[in-house]
Amino acid sequence: MTTAPDTIDAATLALPRVPVVQERVMSGRDLEASEGASFMGSRDVKPAVREAILAALYEERTGLTRKRRLEGLSPDEAARLTETEAYIDDWELGEEDSAASDVWARINAIATRVVGISASIERQRR
Amino acid sequence: MALAEQFVLNVAVVEVQYRKGVVYLDRCGSVMLRLEEALGPAFEGDVPQMQYAELTNAAERIALRYGPKSFSVAQHWVRSPVRVEAVAPIAWDHISESLGVAREVTRCGVRFAVMWGVESVDEAERRIAAARLFSEAPEWVETFGAPKTRTWTTTSESREGQLTASLTGMHTEIKGVLAADLVAVVPPHSVVLQLDYTTPGEPPFSLHKGQMKDFIRSSWERAKRAATVVRARLAAGDV
């Protein structure tokens, strides 16, 4: 049987950008400190990036749905398709949230301008 | 508080170790350009180091590394590893070809850290003890005292490869502002089932992208089945 190393290279999990401390209850000390990729503001995504992610996901889904139509899917592939669709839903929902926050940003900008104009009129009156 | 119905993956990571990858030192930059082209604008390359080069996708919390000895793709805080499953084989195709290591693989593994949120670390410990998936012998208690906390780890081997499984309680502290979409996802206290699967085979062996994709999926399907069994035991005392 295999004689390869038993564990994942420690460097693989040492992704220090993110300040996440995870303590195993076992010892009360930080046994797995600073594990994790950067995830601050994860939904604050540039439109081009969001589009690219969704395009890659759609491509994956299209490949699987085409295969389902032509030759059928194995149980593993069917599970992959279901999970891909769930992941897509999550990103599309994020897109709606993002669009909604754009609308709010525009409303806020308009409101700010209205307040600014009112203040200006008030100053001119005085 | 009841045990969370849904789990979240603290991490899903696939890693390949290989030999004869020292050509990385010559081709690291060109590989990075190929990967950026293949994976799209969500992935941004960082300044390479001697030990590894890295591309990160902050939006999806993915980090991809390659170097003279290993390649890995890790994603944090997701419900399934479906994106790792799509990204890793594409990246491996480019890396293995550019470094000439497709037939020099010494280990291919995938790790899933499945987390269920609980109210406190004490609750995590109570559930692990009550599940009785393992228990200590009376001699252990006589010698070391009754355990306050328990962490179990086992390694098994089958035709499908090697599996290291561990069960433990976990406290997670985010030292910063957690993104809004993660507030409901990241449990401060949890029970963690960590599963490390490796492919069978005498190293060095060949690994192609289709094999990698199948391996990640089949391991994940096994992991989901295992998680269902373990969760049922952890929730056994709930009304």
Side-chain angles (χ1 to χ4, degrees):
Chain A
M1 295 303 286
T2 178
T3 55
D6 287 340
T7 57
I8 288 177
D9 186 350
T12 299
L13 293 177
L15 304 170
R17 285 177 306 282
V18 177
V20 177
V21 175
Q22 294 191 310
E23 287 179 273
R24 292 197 175 202
V25 177
M26 186 171 76
S27 70
R29 286 183 295 135
D30 294 357
L31 295 183
E32 299 210 7
S34 300
E35 181 179 329
S38 175
F39 52 71
M40 302 303 179
S42 63
R43 279 291 183 260
D44 185 17
V45 180
K46 290 176 188 163
V49 168
R50 181 182 297 283
E51 280 167 23
I53 291 167
L54 280 167
L57 292 167
Y58 293 151
E59 191 181 332
E60 182 80 9
R61 180 174 65 183
T62 303
L64 287 164
T65 49
R66 186 183 298 130
K67 190 175 182 200
R68 181 174 61 185
R69 199 172 57 246
L70 296 175
E71 52 188 287
L73 296 178
S74 68
D76 280 3
E77 288 167 330
R80 185 187 299 159
L81 176 58
T82 304
E83 288 171 23
T84 301
E85 284 173 338
Y87 196 90
I88 288 171
D89 286 348
D90 189 35
W91 272 91
E92 286 177 337
L93 194 66
E95 196 166 40
E96 284 164 21
D97 289 349
S98 174
S101 33
D102 281 352
V103 170
W104 276 113
R106 282 187 209 132
I107 290 169
N108 274 333
I110 291 165
T112 307
R113 278 201 294 274
V114 168
V115 169
I117 290 164
S118 304
S120 173
I121 291 169
E122 194 61 34
R123 273 199 303 275
Q124 283 173 6
R125 272 187 191 156
R126 278 192 250 130
Chain B
M1 180 190 170
L3 188 71
E5 274 299 326
Q6 267 201 319
F7 59 70
V8 62
L9 289 175
N10 180 191
V11 66
V13 53
V14 60
E15 192 220 40
V16 182
Q17 293 174 9
Y18 41 80
R19 56 180 204 171
K20 299 184 180 175
V22 74
V23 72
Y24 159 82
L25 297 172
D26 299 322
R27 299 185 185 163
C28 161
S30 58
V31 172
M32 184 169 282
L33 292 175
R34 287 180 66 177
L35 290 172
E36 284 184 332
E37 179 70 23
L39 299 173
F43 287 82
E44 291 180 7
D46 203 347
V47 178
Q49 301 173 26
M50 295 289 277
Q51 293 80 19
Y52 62 83
E54 188 175 69
L55 291 96
T56 53
N57 172 341
E60 295 181 277
R61 302 180 288 277
I62 300 175
L64 186 160
R65 278 185 182 183
Y66 61 98
K69 293 180 179 174
S70 67
F71 152 74
S72 67
V73 178
Q75 187 176 25
H76 290 258
W77 308 118
V78 283
R79 301 284 185 197
S80 85
V82 72
R83 192 67 169 127
V84 170
E85 198 178 346
V87 167
I90 295 170
W92 173 244
D93 201 30
H94 287 284
I95 291 165
S96 61
E97 188 201 321
S98 298
L99 305 189
V101 293
R103 293 184 174 80
E104 304 295 341
V105 175
T106 54
R107 182 183 189 274
C108 175
V110 61
R111 171 183 292 180
F112 306 113
V114 177
M115 278 183 151
W116 292 277
V118 290
E119 185 65 31
S120 63
V121 288
D122 287 343
E123 185 189 349
E125 287 308 311
R126 277 199 308 275
R127 286 184 181 278
I128 290 169
R132 300 193 70 79
L133 287 157
F134 290 93
S135 54
E136 57 281 352
E139 290 81 0
W140 182 277
V141 177
E142 284 165 23
T143 310
F144 302 108
K148 187 180 165 198
T149 63
R150 295 168 176 81
T151 297
W152 306 108
T153 302
T154 62
T155 300
S156 55
E157 211 160 87
S158 69
R159 279 187 306 131
E160 292 165 302
Q162 188 171 287
L163 166 62
T164 302
S166 70
L167 188 67
T168 187
M170 182 80 86
H171 168 68
T172 300
E173 185 184 348
I174 309 295
K175 292 193 170 176
V177 180
L178 195 60
D181 60 305
L182 286 176
V183 171
V185 175
V186 178
H189 310 292
S190 56
V191 176
V192 183
L193 173 66
Q194 185 166 291
L195 301 163
D196 281 90
Y197 296 92
T198 56
T199 53
E202 191 70 35
F205 52 86
S206 297
L207 182 71
H208 299 287
K209 64 175 183 179
Q211 291 170 302
M212 177 185 277
K213 196 160 193 164
D214 290 345
F215 168 64
I216 298 170
R217 174 49 54 177
S218 62
S219 301
W220 175 234
E221 292 301 318
R222 290 164 68 196
K224 282 192 289 185
R225 288 194 292 274
T228 303
V229 171
V230 170
R231 193 198 173 282
R233 292 294 297 261
L234 290 169
D238 294 349
V239 179

